[in-house]
Amino acid sequence: MPPRLPLKALGGALVSLALWTPALIFTSDHVASLHWVSGRSMSPALTPYTTSTRDLVLCNRWAPTASLHRGQVIVFRTPADPERVAVKRVVALEGDVVRPRPGSAMARVAGLVTVPMGQVWVEGDEGFHSIDSNAYGPIPLGLVVAQVARIVWPLARAGPLAVDEGLARRGAVVARSTVERPGVYRTPDGKWITTPGKR
């Protein structure tokens, strides 16, 4: 017969679990979380070998839209089904002019797309295996839930995930906006400034 746990110890464990559960839920929802990434859409940056492999990534959920950059990999709720999340690379920011991928749904609708304020254009690195902004257009920043920070698994490829604009589709961005966020501008020497009265 297995040894019995004292009732007092079991009660203490349940109290500890009850006290830590809200903190763990808050952390997972608002600070950091782990996500499995599968499929070919983000190859070679993520799941580069086959469709049967999956990468485990650590995501920063704290202020997920703060300081977004072209080339950054994000997690967002898909516009077609907000219950599902997708992982794609930011190709263009608000105000940028984008040339959709030839043959895509967006290319049939418009030759060039100006990304509206409060939205970003996202694409998978393996474009022909990706459902992204070429299918549904720019996504609202409100759908962005996290920034992918690093690969955790497999261990052979573990490490920070580079913010690499060079991995995005060449020629996608036709013209870059000088306005990165409302009231925030980039100077010619690359510094960020905020106009008076704006945050």
Side-chain angles (χ1 to χ4, degrees):
M1 176 178 278
R4 291 186 171 194
L5 287 174
L7 194 54
K8 193 173 192 179
L10 182 60
L14 289 175
V15 168
S16 292
L17 179 65
L19 291 174
W20 278 103
T21 299
L24 293 174
I25 291 171
F26 178 83
T27 300
S28 177
D29 286 351
H30 301 288
V31 180
S33 61
L34 295 170
H35 287 275
W36 285 103
V37 179
S38 59
R40 294 177 60 181
S41 73
M42 285 304 296
S43 180
L46 299 170
T47 62
Y49 305 116
T50 66
T51 55
S52 63
T53 62
R54 297 190 315 165
D55 285 358
L56 182 63
V57 295
L58 176 66
C59 299
N60 176 9
R61 296 176 75 97
W62 191 263
T65 59
S67 64
L68 279 180
H69 299 288
R70 294 174 194 88
Q72 196 158 22
V73 179
I74 61 170
V75 179
F76 62 95
R77 298 193 178 282
T78 62
D81 181 6
E83 294 299 314
R84 296 185 63 213
V85 293
V87 177
K88 305 292 180 203
R89 189 174 301 279
V90 174
V91 172
L93 301 170
E94 48 199 12
D96 288 350
V97 179
V98 179
R99 183 182 317 280
R101 183 176 291 111
S104 68
M106 287 302 293
R108 289 190 290 274
V109 173
L112 296 176
V113 177
T114 300
V115 180
M117 294 307 257
Q119 298 189 17
V120 291
W121 185 276
V122 295
E123 293 186 2
D125 290 352
E126 180 70 43
F128 295 105
H129 299 283
S130 178
I131 299 172
D132 50 33
S133 288
N134 288 290
Y136 43 70
I139 64 162
L141 290 172
L143 294 178
V144 177
V145 296
Q147 298 175 6
V148 178
R150 60 189 313 115
I151 298 172
V152 177
W153 184 265
L155 292 177
R157 294 184 28 256
L161 191 62
V163 176
D164 190 351
E165 205 175 325
L167 290 175
R169 180 171 55 95
R170 295 192 193 285
V173 179
V174 176
R176 292 174 176 233
S177 171
T178 56
V179 179
E180 297 293 334
R181 296 279 181 272
V184 180
Y185 299 87
R186 182 179 282 181
T187 61
D189 60 350
K191 294 180 181 172
W192 297 93
I193 60 169
T194 305
T195 57
K198 302 277 184 174
R199 291 184 192 208

